[in-house]
Amino acid sequence: MRWELLGQHVNAVRAVRILREEPVQPAAAPVNLAQVANYRQRVSHLEDRLPSDALDRAAYGGLQDTQPRAALLALHGRMEGVVPASWEDRALAQIWFRWADYVVPRSALGAFTLGAAPRDERYRAALDEFADAVLDVLAGQRRSRREVAAAFPDRPAGLVRCLSVTGKVHIRWDASSSEVVPAAVPEVDPSEARLDLARRFLHWYGPVSRSQFAKWAGVCMGDAELTWSELHEELVPVSFERAGRWMLASDVAVLCAAEEGREFVRFLPGGGDPYLQLDRGTLLPDPPSDLGHHYLGSGGRRSVINGLTGRLLLDGKVVGSWGRAGLNVRIAPWTRLRPGQVDRVSEEAATMSGPLGGEPRLSWIE
């Protein structure tokens, strides 16, 4: 097994975790915070929910599922008719994407697997060799991640998470156990898969930088820059917060048309909702410091899963935190809400009975 090459690949990917801002390009049009926020809410379908048969569009840019059923609640924020089993619909697949649990459109498996594979043939060969060894362990059946890791006792247990880029393994995580699942490699040209992945990122997260793409996709900076250069004719430069960013030329009209004043309420799950992933330091406010004592229950135990890591989106603005334990949903507004706004938030919370499979029990933290 080519463990040394695998280690080099992992280190190259990890090297992009420190973001590097790009200089503003000549003739770059300036865009502001409100435009970017409104654009991302619109194109990721937070503003208006999709119909119940649009799972592939609701998960277009991938939905992180690191926290229990975060992807399910992210689907609910974007689509009608979500039920507890929607995450297992045949239109969707579960994989490790940049080592994190993700739910992605099955029709886009090539983009989210082969599209994130390293361009270096040596690294791809090492990954394929490791994946084939894992397939031997699976023997055509899905097995627990711990069982797979135990077959390679001298390697880090989490190393198997890098293998989804081969297209040979998927996962199944039901919020209590994680299994590795053998899969057929998507029949797609890897070069087209890379472009598809980049276009999905640009569309849902624009305006963005090359380093943001590298970090999001889990690829090294050199690979990201090559993909960018191959897309160059489809991109236009913009200036955001005095940094150079890029957008698909086909999305510029949508950005310019994005307006404030829309009325909607959404509970965005913590742990990776697409809207919460990029530009947190500028686009998303931090919660008030005095919320800290609400994160732990009696005896120091967490009273809400992962604390109040979710975000409450009201009319396009983040106005509070929320978290849940089962059907118990707690909301901590960051500002005083008007009675009518409280009613709207409560009504939206009630709709979570669909994905949660029962009526939420709502409580407010004053």
Side-chain angles (χ1 to χ4, degrees):
M1 204 75 66
R2 310 181 207 189
W3 298 120
E4 183 177 351
L5 284 173
L6 280 175
Q8 292 173 9
H9 163 63
V10 170
N11 290 335
V13 170
R14 286 176 173 169
V16 304
R17 291 187 175 181
I18 300 176
L19 288 177
R20 296 177 290 175
E21 291 289 3
E22 296 184 26
V24 176
Q25 299 295 313
V31 298
N32 59 46
L33 284 171
Q35 285 178 307
V36 173
N38 296 338
Y39 169 81
R40 291 181 183 174
Q41 291 164 19
R42 176 166 296 181
V43 298
S44 66
H45 310 296
L46 287 172
E47 181 180 327
D48 292 301
R49 280 189 170 98
L50 293 162
S52 58
D53 60 350
L55 279 163
D56 57 340
R57 293 173 61 197
Y60 177 84
L63 303 173
Q64 191 167 333
D65 205 25
T66 304
Q67 290 187 13
R69 295 287 70 93
L72 184 70
L73 292 170
L75 276 176
H76 170 66
R78 293 164 170 81
M79 194 185 82
E80 301 285 354
V82 174
V83 297
S86 291
W87 65 279
E88 289 193 286
D89 191 282
R90 283 294 304 167
L92 303 173
Q94 276 186 309
I95 62 171
W96 284 311
F97 178 64
R98 57 168 167 75
W99 295 46
D101 301 336
Y102 255 76
V103 171
V104 302
R106 190 170 293 275
S107 60
L109 270 171
F112 285 94
T113 57
L114 303 185
R119 291 173 180 261
D120 191 307
E121 293 182 2
R122 299 170 305 156
Y123 296 161
R124 289 203 309 275
L127 287 162
D128 279 330
E129 186 176 286
F130 185 22
D132 289 340
V134 168
L135 290 177
D136 288 342
V137 174
L138 297 178
Q141 305 293 322
R142 67 190 191 196
R143 300 184 186 277
S144 72
R145 184 165 67 89
R146 288 185 178 182
E147 186 176 355
V148 172
F152 307 93
D154 57 340
R155 298 294 122 189
L159 188 61
V160 69
R161 288 175 171 266
C162 72
L163 291 182
S164 278
V165 298
T166 67
K168 296 179 179 181
V169 295
H170 295 175
I171 63 170
R172 184 183 186 277
W173 185 63
D174 62 3
S176 61
S177 61
S178 181
E179 296 176 312
V180 185
V181 183
V185 179
E187 296 181 1
V188 61
D189 183 338
S191 61
E192 289 300 318
R194 286 192 287 268
L195 296 179
D196 185 9
L197 183 65
R199 290 187 187 109
R200 287 172 183 270
F201 176 70
L202 281 152
H203 179 59
W204 257 30
Y205 294 95
V208 293
S209 67
R210 284 170 288 195
S211 57
Q212 286 178 317
F213 171 63
K215 183 177 180 180
W216 174 82
V219 300
C220 71
M221 197 63 213
D223 284 0
E225 289 173 344
L226 282 171
T227 300
W228 228 248
S229 66
E230 292 166 356
L231 277 176
H232 187 73
E233 293 185 358
E234 301 179 33
L235 304 179
V236 294
V238 298
S239 172
F240 176 57
E241 294 291 291
R242 293 176 294 195
R245 297 290 179 89
W246 300 87
M247 291 195 70
L248 290 171
S250 56
D251 286 334
V252 172
V254 181
L255 175 75
C256 295
E259 298 177 355
E260 296 184 75
R262 301 143 304 140
E263 295 187 355
F264 65 97
V265 183
R266 294 291 184 270
F267 283 79
L268 306 181
D273 185 276
Y275 186 69
L276 303 177
Q277 287 189 349
L278 258 63
D279 298 308
R280 293 185 68 94
T282 55
L283 198 62
L284 302 171
D286 291 325
S289 58
D290 59 356
L291 281 180
H293 67 282
H294 294 297
Y295 279 59
L296 298 176
S298 59
R301 295 175 299 175
R302 290 190 181 274
S303 57
V304 180
I305 293 176
N306 291 314
L308 303 176
T309 57
R311 294 294 179 262
L312 175 62
L313 196 62
L314 174 64
D315 300 335
K317 302 290 191 299
V318 175
V319 299
S321 307
W322 74 281
R324 72 175 184 91
L327 295 176
N328 295 315
V329 175
R330 303 179 73 196
I331 305 172
W334 297 352
T335 185
R336 184 170 296 278
L337 302 180
R338 298 189 300 273
Q341 292 175 323
V342 171
D343 292 341
R344 290 172 57 208
V345 170
S346 298
E347 290 170 4
E348 175 62 24
T351 70
M352 285 195 285
S353 61
L356 296 182
E359 193 70 26
R361 295 183 286 270
L362 192 64
S363 62
W364 294 78
I365 296 174
E366 299 297 335

mmCIF file of all heavy atoms in Angstrom, residues 109-154:
data_model
loop_
_atom_site.group_PDB
_atom_site.id
_atom_site.type_symbol
_atom_site.label_atom_id
_atom_site.label_comp_id
_atom_site.label_asym_id
_atom_site.label_seq_id
_atom_site.Cartn_x
_atom_site.Cartn_y
_atom_site.Cartn_z
ATOM 1 N N LEU A 109 -23.219 12.424 -8.533
ATOM 2 C CA LEU A 109 -22.195 11.680 -7.806
ATOM 3 C C LEU A 109 -20.819 11.827 -8.451
ATOM 4 O O LEU A 109 -19.796 11.891 -7.764
ATOM 5 C CB LEU A 109 -22.581 10.198 -7.736
ATOM 6 C CG LEU A 109 -23.409 9.789 -6.518
ATOM 7 C CD1 LEU A 109 -23.901 8.369 -6.669
ATOM 8 C CD2 LEU A 109 -22.606 9.948 -5.236
ATOM 9 N N GLY A 110 -20.788 11.894 -9.771
ATOM 10 C CA GLY A 110 -19.502 12.066 -10.437
ATOM 11 C C GLY A 110 -18.804 13.337 -10.009
ATOM 12 O O GLY A 110 -17.588 13.353 -9.774
ATOM 13 N N ALA A 111 -19.572 14.431 -9.889
ATOM 14 C CA ALA A 111 -18.993 15.719 -9.490
ATOM 15 C C ALA A 111 -18.445 15.667 -8.073
ATOM 16 O O ALA A 111 -17.329 16.134 -7.807
ATOM 17 C CB ALA A 111 -20.038 16.825 -9.615
ATOM 18 N N PHE A 112 -19.216 15.098 -7.148
ATOM 19 C CA PHE A 112 -18.828 15.123 -5.735
ATOM 20 C C PHE A 112 -17.833 14.032 -5.354
ATOM 21 O O PHE A 112 -17.328 14.030 -4.237
ATOM 22 C CB PHE A 112 -20.077 15.031 -4.857
ATOM 23 C CG PHE A 112 -20.872 16.301 -4.807
ATOM 24 C CD1 PHE A 112 -21.936 16.497 -5.665
ATOM 25 C CD2 PHE A 112 -20.545 17.320 -3.928
ATOM 26 C CE1 PHE A 112 -22.676 17.680 -5.634
ATOM 27 C CE2 PHE A 112 -21.260 18.492 -3.884
ATOM 28 C CZ PHE A 112 -22.329 18.682 -4.747
ATOM 29 N N THR A 113 -17.549 13.107 -6.270
ATOM 30 C CA THR A 113 -16.548 12.070 -6.002
ATOM 31 C C THR A 113 -15.338 12.291 -6.911
ATOM 32 O O THR A 113 -14.343 12.890 -6.510
ATOM 33 C CB THR A 113 -17.143 10.660 -6.192
ATOM 34 O OG1 THR A 113 -17.680 10.528 -7.526
ATOM 35 C CG2 THR A 113 -18.248 10.410 -5.179
ATOM 36 N N LEU A 114 -15.428 11.860 -8.158
ATOM 37 C CA LEU A 114 -14.305 12.005 -9.088
ATOM 38 C C LEU A 114 -13.934 13.464 -9.315
ATOM 39 O O LEU A 114 -12.772 13.783 -9.576
ATOM 40 C CB LEU A 114 -14.640 11.345 -10.426
ATOM 41 C CG LEU A 114 -15.015 9.856 -10.395
ATOM 42 C CD1 LEU A 114 -15.194 9.334 -11.807
ATOM 43 C CD2 LEU A 114 -13.991 9.032 -9.630
ATOM 44 N N GLY A 115 -14.910 14.358 -9.199
ATOM 45 C CA GLY A 115 -14.630 15.782 -9.391
ATOM 46 C C GLY A 115 -13.746 16.376 -8.323
ATOM 47 O O GLY A 115 -13.161 17.450 -8.522
ATOM 48 N N ALA A 116 -13.631 15.702 -7.176
ATOM 49 C CA ALA A 116 -12.776 16.176 -6.085
ATOM 50 C C ALA A 116 -11.514 15.333 -5.939
ATOM 51 O O ALA A 116 -10.740 15.532 -5.003
ATOM 52 C CB ALA A 116 -13.560 16.167 -4.767
ATOM 53 N N ALA A 117 -11.297 14.419 -6.871
ATOM 54 C CA ALA A 117 -10.104 13.573 -6.818
ATOM 55 C C ALA A 117 -8.874 14.380 -7.227
ATOM 56 O O ALA A 117 -8.966 15.310 -8.030
ATOM 57 C CB ALA A 117 -10.263 12.372 -7.736
ATOM 58 N N PRO A 118 -7.705 14.033 -6.694
ATOM 59 C CA PRO A 118 -6.488 14.772 -7.066
ATOM 60 C C PRO A 118 -6.142 14.551 -8.533
ATOM 61 O O PRO A 118 -6.360 13.474 -9.092
ATOM 62 C CB PRO A 118 -5.424 14.178 -6.134
ATOM 63 C CG PRO A 118 -5.936 12.816 -5.787
ATOM 64 C CD PRO A 118 -7.422 12.950 -5.733
ATOM 65 N N ARG A 119 -5.573 15.573 -9.151
ATOM 66 C CA ARG A 119 -5.124 15.447 -10.536
ATOM 67 C C ARG A 119 -3.842 14.617 -10.649
ATOM 68 O O ARG A 119 -3.593 14.005 -11.686
ATOM 69 C CB ARG A 119 -4.883 16.837 -11.136
ATOM 70 C CG ARG A 119 -6.154 17.655 -11.345
ATOM 71 C CD ARG A 119 -5.809 19.064 -11.774
ATOM 72 N NE ARG A 119 -6.995 19.891 -11.994
ATOM 73 C CZ ARG A 119 -7.525 20.133 -13.194
ATOM 74 N NH1 ARG A 119 -6.978 19.617 -14.279
ATOM 75 N NH2 ARG A 119 -8.590 20.909 -13.312
ATOM 76 N N ASP A 120 -3.040 14.610 -9.616
ATOM 77 C CA ASP A 120 -1.781 13.866 -9.621
ATOM 78 C C ASP A 120 -2.063 12.363 -9.733
ATOM 79 O O ASP A 120 -2.716 11.774 -8.866
ATOM 80 C CB ASP A 120 -1.000 14.160 -8.337
ATOM 81 C CG ASP A 120 0.421 13.647 -8.365
ATOM 82 O OD1 ASP A 120 0.612 12.451 -8.657
ATOM 83 O OD2 ASP A 120 1.348 14.438 -8.093
ATOM 84 N N GLU A 121 -1.591 11.746 -10.804
ATOM 85 C CA GLU A 121 -1.867 10.331 -11.049
ATOM 86 C C GLU A 121 -1.332 9.438 -9.939
ATOM 87 O O GLU A 121 -1.912 8.397 -9.632
ATOM 88 C CB GLU A 121 -1.279 9.914 -12.390
ATOM 89 C CG GLU A 121 -1.947 10.571 -13.594
ATOM 90 C CD GLU A 121 -1.367 10.098 -14.916
ATOM 91 O OE1 GLU A 121 -0.465 9.213 -14.878
ATOM 92 O OE2 GLU A 121 -1.804 10.608 -15.963
ATOM 93 N N ARG A 122 -0.224 9.827 -9.325
ATOM 94 C CA ARG A 122 0.334 9.012 -8.248
ATOM 95 C C ARG A 122 -0.613 8.975 -7.055
ATOM 96 O O ARG A 122 -0.834 7.916 -6.444
ATOM 97 C CB ARG A 122 1.688 9.562 -7.809
ATOM 98 C CG ARG A 122 2.765 9.597 -8.888
ATOM 99 C CD ARG A 122 3.948 10.388 -8.367
ATOM 100 N NE ARG A 122 3.526 11.713 -7.919
ATOM 101 C CZ ARG A 122 4.183 12.449 -7.021
ATOM 102 N NH1 ARG A 122 5.272 11.962 -6.436
ATOM 103 N NH2 ARG A 122 3.745 13.648 -6.685
ATOM 104 N N TYR A 123 -1.184 10.115 -6.712
ATOM 105 C CA TYR A 123 -2.115 10.164 -5.583
ATOM 106 C C TYR A 123 -3.388 9.388 -5.903
ATOM 107 O O TYR A 123 -3.930 8.675 -5.045
ATOM 108 C CB TYR A 123 -2.451 11.617 -5.239
ATOM 109 C CG TYR A 123 -1.277 12.445 -4.750
ATOM 110 C CD1 TYR A 123 -1.327 13.834 -4.774
ATOM 111 C CD2 TYR A 123 -0.132 11.837 -4.251
ATOM 112 C CE1 TYR A 123 -0.258 14.605 -4.323
ATOM 113 C CE2 TYR A 123 0.942 12.590 -3.800
ATOM 114 C CZ TYR A 123 0.869 13.974 -3.845
ATOM 115 O OH TYR A 123 1.934 14.723 -3.399
ATOM 116 N N ARG A 124 -3.875 9.522 -7.140
ATOM 117 C CA ARG A 124 -5.088 8.785 -7.514
ATOM 118 C C ARG A 124 -4.852 7.277 -7.448
ATOM 119 O O ARG A 124 -5.709 6.520 -6.987
ATOM 120 C CB ARG A 124 -5.559 9.177 -8.918
ATOM 121 C CG ARG A 124 -6.131 10.573 -9.019
ATOM 122 C CD ARG A 124 -7.067 10.702 -10.232
ATOM 123 N NE ARG A 124 -6.439 10.231 -11.463
ATOM 124 C CZ ARG A 124 -5.655 10.971 -12.237
ATOM 125 N NH1 ARG A 124 -5.379 12.219 -11.888
ATOM 126 N NH2 ARG A 124 -5.145 10.478 -13.356
ATOM 127 N N ALA A 125 -3.677 6.851 -7.899
ATOM 128 C CA ALA A 125 -3.361 5.419 -7.860
ATOM 129 C C ALA A 125 -3.302 4.915 -6.421
ATOM 130 O O ALA A 125 -3.778 3.808 -6.117
ATOM 131 C CB ALA A 125 -2.032 5.157 -8.575
ATOM 132 N N ALA A 126 -2.730 5.728 -5.524
ATOM 133 C CA ALA A 126 -2.652 5.322 -4.116
ATOM 134 C C ALA A 126 -4.040 5.241 -3.500
ATOM 135 O O ALA A 126 -4.342 4.313 -2.734
ATOM 136 C CB ALA A 126 -1.784 6.315 -3.346
ATOM 137 N N LEU A 127 -4.907 6.201 -3.834
ATOM 138 C CA LEU A 127 -6.283 6.188 -3.325
ATOM 139 C C LEU A 127 -7.046 4.983 -3.865
ATOM 140 O O LEU A 127 -7.788 4.311 -3.124
ATOM 141 C CB LEU A 127 -6.992 7.486 -3.708
ATOM 142 C CG LEU A 127 -6.562 8.732 -2.936
ATOM 143 C CD1 LEU A 127 -6.988 10.006 -3.674
ATOM 144 C CD2 LEU A 127 -7.165 8.732 -1.530
ATOM 145 N N ASP A 128 -6.884 4.689 -5.154
ATOM 146 C CA ASP A 128 -7.570 3.534 -5.745
ATOM 147 C C ASP A 128 -7.106 2.232 -5.109
ATOM 148 O O ASP A 128 -7.916 1.327 -4.850
ATOM 149 C CB ASP A 128 -7.326 3.491 -7.255
ATOM 150 C CG ASP A 128 -8.230 4.431 -8.031
ATOM 151 O OD1 ASP A 128 -9.361 4.676 -7.561
ATOM 152 O OD2 ASP A 128 -7.820 4.919 -9.101
ATOM 153 N N GLU A 129 -5.838 2.139 -4.839
ATOM 154 C CA GLU A 129 -5.300 0.928 -4.216
ATOM 155 C C GLU A 129 -5.877 0.734 -2.822
ATOM 156 O O GLU A 129 -6.261 -0.389 -2.436
ATOM 157 C CB GLU A 129 -3.774 1.032 -4.155
ATOM 158 C CG GLU A 129 -3.076 -0.222 -3.672
ATOM 159 C CD GLU A 129 -1.567 -0.081 -3.721
ATOM 160 O OE1 GLU A 129 -1.002 -0.126 -4.820
ATOM 161 O OE2 GLU A 129 -0.967 0.100 -2.635
ATOM 162 N N PHE A 130 -5.959 1.817 -2.061
ATOM 163 C CA PHE A 130 -6.544 1.746 -0.727
ATOM 164 C C PHE A 130 -8.031 1.406 -0.823
ATOM 165 O O PHE A 130 -8.555 0.578 -0.065
ATOM 166 C CB PHE A 130 -6.331 3.071 -0.012
ATOM 167 C CG PHE A 130 -6.772 3.112 1.429
ATOM 168 C CD1 PHE A 130 -6.906 1.952 2.185
ATOM 169 C CD2 PHE A 130 -7.062 4.326 2.045
ATOM 170 C CE1 PHE A 130 -7.314 1.994 3.515
ATOM 171 C CE2 PHE A 130 -7.474 4.391 3.369
ATOM 172 C CZ PHE A 130 -7.608 3.219 4.108
ATOM 173 N N ALA A 131 -8.740 2.033 -1.774
ATOM 174 C CA ALA A 131 -10.172 1.759 -1.939
ATOM 175 C C ALA A 131 -10.406 0.294 -2.288
ATOM 176 O O ALA A 131 -11.347 -0.339 -1.776
ATOM 177 C CB ALA A 131 -10.760 2.670 -3.008
ATOM 178 N N ASP A 132 -9.560 -0.263 -3.146
ATOM 179 C CA ASP A 132 -9.715 -1.677 -3.506
ATOM 180 C C ASP A 132 -9.497 -2.578 -2.295
ATOM 181 O O ASP A 132 -10.185 -3.606 -2.141
ATOM 182 C CB ASP A 132 -8.729 -2.040 -4.619
ATOM 183 C CG ASP A 132 -9.100 -1.408 -5.957
ATOM 184 O OD1 ASP A 132 -10.283 -1.018 -6.124
ATOM 185 O OD2 ASP A 132 -8.206 -1.298 -6.824
ATOM 186 N N ALA A 133 -8.564 -2.194 -1.433
ATOM 187 C CA ALA A 133 -8.344 -2.976 -0.214
ATOM 188 C C ALA A 133 -9.561 -2.904 0.701
ATOM 189 O O ALA A 133 -9.946 -3.903 1.329
ATOM 190 C CB ALA A 133 -7.096 -2.469 0.515
ATOM 191 N N VAL A 134 -10.180 -1.726 0.767
ATOM 192 C CA VAL A 134 -11.403 -1.578 1.562
ATOM 193 C C VAL A 134 -12.530 -2.403 0.961
ATOM 194 O O VAL A 134 -13.312 -3.052 1.681
ATOM 195 C CB VAL A 134 -11.797 -0.093 1.672
ATOM 196 C CG1 VAL A 134 -13.211 0.063 2.247
ATOM 197 C CG2 VAL A 134 -10.801 0.656 2.549
ATOM 198 N N LEU A 135 -12.648 -2.417 -0.366
ATOM 199 C CA LEU A 135 -13.675 -3.228 -1.011
ATOM 200 C C LEU A 135 -13.486 -4.709 -0.698
ATOM 201 O O LEU A 135 -14.470 -5.454 -0.541
ATOM 202 C CB LEU A 135 -13.658 -2.998 -2.523
ATOM 203 C CG LEU A 135 -14.135 -1.628 -3.010
ATOM 204 C CD1 LEU A 135 -13.990 -1.526 -4.522
ATOM 205 C CD2 LEU A 135 -15.586 -1.361 -2.600
ATOM 206 N N ASP A 136 -12.234 -5.147 -0.591
ATOM 207 C CA ASP A 136 -11.981 -6.535 -0.206
ATOM 208 C C ASP A 136 -12.513 -6.806 1.194
ATOM 209 O O ASP A 136 -13.065 -7.882 1.471
ATOM 210 C CB ASP A 136 -10.479 -6.831 -0.257
ATOM 211 C CG ASP A 136 -9.947 -6.916 -1.681
ATOM 212 O OD1 ASP A 136 -10.750 -7.095 -2.614
ATOM 213 O OD2 ASP A 136 -8.711 -6.785 -1.857
ATOM 214 N N VAL A 137 -12.342 -5.846 2.092
ATOM 215 C CA VAL A 137 -12.863 -6.002 3.456
ATOM 216 C C VAL A 137 -14.392 -6.043 3.440
ATOM 217 O O VAL A 137 -15.021 -6.835 4.146
ATOM 218 C CB VAL A 137 -12.369 -4.845 4.351
ATOM 219 C CG1 VAL A 137 -13.021 -4.911 5.730
ATOM 220 C CG2 VAL A 137 -10.853 -4.878 4.476
ATOM 221 N N LEU A 138 -15.000 -5.188 2.620
ATOM 222 C CA LEU A 138 -16.464 -5.138 2.562
ATOM 223 C C LEU A 138 -17.059 -6.404 1.957
ATOM 224 O O LEU A 138 -18.159 -6.814 2.341
ATOM 225 C CB LEU A 138 -16.903 -3.922 1.736
ATOM 226 C CG LEU A 138 -16.531 -2.551 2.290
ATOM 227 C CD1 LEU A 138 -17.001 -1.446 1.340
ATOM 228 C CD2 LEU A 138 -17.130 -2.329 3.684
ATOM 229 N N ALA A 139 -16.358 -7.012 0.999
ATOM 230 C CA ALA A 139 -16.811 -8.254 0.363
ATOM 231 C C ALA A 139 -18.243 -8.144 -0.147
ATOM 232 O O ALA A 139 -19.058 -9.054 0.025
ATOM 233 C CB ALA A 139 -16.676 -9.426 1.345
ATOM 234 N N GLY A 140 -18.541 -6.991 -0.754
ATOM 235 C CA GLY A 140 -19.854 -6.812 -1.355
ATOM 236 C C GLY A 140 -20.950 -6.402 -0.399
ATOM 237 O O GLY A 140 -22.100 -6.211 -0.811
ATOM 238 N N GLN A 141 -20.629 -6.245 0.882
ATOM 239 C CA GLN A 141 -21.617 -5.869 1.901
ATOM 240 C C GLN A 141 -21.218 -4.544 2.539
ATOM 241 O O GLN A 141 -20.042 -4.177 2.540
ATOM 242 C CB GLN A 141 -21.701 -6.947 2.990
ATOM 243 C CG GLN A 141 -21.991 -8.334 2.480
ATOM 244 C CD GLN A 141 -23.377 -8.451 1.884
ATOM 245 O OE1 GLN A 141 -24.339 -7.860 2.405
ATOM 246 N NE2 GLN A 141 -23.497 -9.192 0.796
ATOM 247 N N ARG A 142 -22.184 -3.834 3.088
ATOM 248 C CA ARG A 142 -21.826 -2.644 3.864
ATOM 249 C C ARG A 142 -21.424 -3.083 5.270
ATOM 250 O O ARG A 142 -22.039 -3.992 5.848
ATOM 251 C CB ARG A 142 -22.982 -1.649 3.891
ATOM 252 C CG ARG A 142 -24.219 -2.090 4.635
ATOM 253 C CD ARG A 142 -25.352 -1.101 4.363
ATOM 254 N NE ARG A 142 -26.479 -1.322 5.251
ATOM 255 C CZ ARG A 142 -27.701 -0.824 5.038
ATOM 256 N NH1 ARG A 142 -27.936 -0.095 3.964
ATOM 257 N NH2 ARG A 142 -28.671 -1.047 5.900
ATOM 258 N N ARG A 143 -20.424 -2.427 5.782
ATOM 259 C CA ARG A 143 -19.911 -2.775 7.105
ATOM 260 C C ARG A 143 -19.641 -1.495 7.896
ATOM 261 O O ARG A 143 -19.454 -0.418 7.311
ATOM 262 C CB ARG A 143 -18.626 -3.605 6.995
ATOM 263 C CG ARG A 143 -18.813 -4.914 6.247
ATOM 264 C CD ARG A 143 -17.546 -5.755 6.246
ATOM 265 N NE ARG A 143 -17.680 -6.942 5.414
ATOM 266 C CZ ARG A 143 -18.248 -8.077 5.809
ATOM 267 N NH1 ARG A 143 -18.707 -8.186 7.051
ATOM 268 N NH2 ARG A 143 -18.325 -9.116 4.991
ATOM 269 N N SER A 144 -19.586 -1.609 9.203
ATOM 270 C CA SER A 144 -19.368 -0.432 10.039
ATOM 271 C C SER A 144 -17.995 0.170 9.770
ATOM 272 O O SER A 144 -17.046 -0.539 9.409
ATOM 273 C CB SER A 144 -19.489 -0.785 11.522
ATOM 274 O OG SER A 144 -18.367 -1.540 11.950
ATOM 275 N N ARG A 145 -17.914 1.477 9.939
ATOM 276 C CA ARG A 145 -16.640 2.150 9.714
ATOM 277 C C ARG A 145 -15.584 1.621 10.682
ATOM 278 O O ARG A 145 -14.402 1.499 10.317
ATOM 279 C CB ARG A 145 -16.814 3.662 9.886
ATOM 280 C CG ARG A 145 -15.549 4.457 9.571
ATOM 281 C CD ARG A 145 -15.856 5.926 9.401
ATOM 282 N NE ARG A 145 -16.295 6.557 10.628
ATOM 283 C CZ ARG A 145 -15.474 7.125 11.522
ATOM 284 N NH1 ARG A 145 -14.162 7.102 11.309
ATOM 285 N NH2 ARG A 145 -15.931 7.700 12.606
ATOM 286 N N ARG A 146 -15.972 1.307 11.893
ATOM 287 C CA ARG A 146 -15.000 0.770 12.852
ATOM 288 C C ARG A 146 -14.444 -0.577 12.382
ATOM 289 O O ARG A 146 -13.251 -0.859 12.550
ATOM 290 C CB ARG A 146 -15.656 0.623 14.226
ATOM 291 C CG ARG A 146 -15.928 1.948 14.930
ATOM 292 C CD ARG A 146 -16.454 1.730 16.328
ATOM 293 N NE ARG A 146 -16.662 2.984 17.019
ATOM 294 C CZ ARG A 146 -17.085 3.083 18.277
ATOM 295 N NH1 ARG A 146 -17.319 1.972 18.979
ATOM 296 N NH2 ARG A 146 -17.257 4.264 18.847
ATOM 297 N N GLU A 147 -15.312 -1.392 11.809
ATOM 298 C CA GLU A 147 -14.868 -2.696 11.322
ATOM 299 C C GLU A 147 -13.873 -2.522 10.174
ATOM 300 O O GLU A 147 -12.872 -3.238 10.090
ATOM 301 C CB GLU A 147 -16.075 -3.509 10.856
ATOM 302 C CG GLU A 147 -15.756 -4.940 10.473
ATOM 303 C CD GLU A 147 -16.997 -5.730 10.112
ATOM 304 O OE1 GLU A 147 -18.110 -5.182 10.252
ATOM 305 O OE2 GLU A 147 -16.845 -6.890 9.681
ATOM 306 N N VAL A 148 -14.152 -1.575 9.297
ATOM 307 C CA VAL A 148 -13.235 -1.315 8.182
ATOM 308 C C VAL A 148 -11.912 -0.784 8.713
ATOM 309 O O VAL A 148 -10.831 -1.224 8.294
ATOM 310 C CB VAL A 148 -13.868 -0.316 7.190
ATOM 311 C CG1 VAL A 148 -12.851 0.112 6.134
ATOM 312 C CG2 VAL A 148 -15.094 -0.929 6.525
ATOM 313 N N ALA A 149 -11.968 0.175 9.635
ATOM 314 C CA ALA A 149 -10.740 0.754 10.183
ATOM 315 C C ALA A 149 -9.898 -0.301 10.891
ATOM 316 O O ALA A 149 -8.664 -0.259 10.841
ATOM 317 C CB ALA A 149 -11.085 1.889 11.139
ATOM 318 N N ALA A 150 -10.573 -1.276 11.537
ATOM 319 C CA ALA A 150 -9.844 -2.318 12.267
ATOM 320 C C ALA A 150 -9.019 -3.196 11.337
ATOM 321 O O ALA A 150 -8.059 -3.843 11.774
ATOM 322 C CB ALA A 150 -10.831 -3.171 13.059
ATOM 323 N N ALA A 151 -9.377 -3.226 10.053
ATOM 324 C CA ALA A 151 -8.619 -4.022 9.091
ATOM 325 C C ALA A 151 -7.293 -3.367 8.721
ATOM 326 O O ALA A 151 -6.445 -4.005 8.076
ATOM 327 C CB ALA A 151 -9.459 -4.238 7.831
ATOM 328 N N PHE A 152 -7.115 -2.118 9.139
ATOM 329 C CA PHE A 152 -5.868 -1.387 8.872
ATOM 330 C C PHE A 152 -5.395 -0.770 10.190
ATOM 331 O O PHE A 152 -5.385 0.444 10.369
ATOM 332 C CB PHE A 152 -6.113 -0.297 7.822
ATOM 333 C CG PHE A 152 -6.752 -0.812 6.561
ATOM 334 C CD1 PHE A 152 -8.135 -0.783 6.412
ATOM 335 C CD2 PHE A 152 -5.979 -1.340 5.543
ATOM 336 C CE1 PHE A 152 -8.737 -1.276 5.261
ATOM 337 C CE2 PHE A 152 -6.571 -1.828 4.383
ATOM 338 C CZ PHE A 152 -7.954 -1.801 4.238
ATOM 339 N N PRO A 153 -5.003 -1.613 11.132
ATOM 340 C CA PRO A 153 -4.733 -1.146 12.503
ATOM 341 C C PRO A 153 -3.565 -0.181 12.634
ATOM 342 O O PRO A 153 -3.475 0.557 13.619
ATOM 343 C CB PRO A 153 -4.452 -2.461 13.260
ATOM 344 C CG PRO A 153 -3.980 -3.406 12.197
ATOM 345 C CD PRO A 153 -4.759 -3.047 10.973
ATOM 346 N N ASP A 154 -2.660 -0.175 11.659
ATOM 347 C CA ASP A 154 -1.504 0.711 11.750
ATOM 348 C C ASP A 154 -1.738 2.047 11.058
ATOM 349 O O ASP A 154 -0.812 2.839 10.902
ATOM 350 C CB ASP A 154 -0.275 0.040 11.146
ATOM 351 C CG ASP A 154 -0.491 -0.374 9.695
ATOM 352 O OD1 ASP A 154 -1.676 -0.488 9.291
ATOM 353 O OD2 ASP A 154 0.503 -0.582 8.972
#
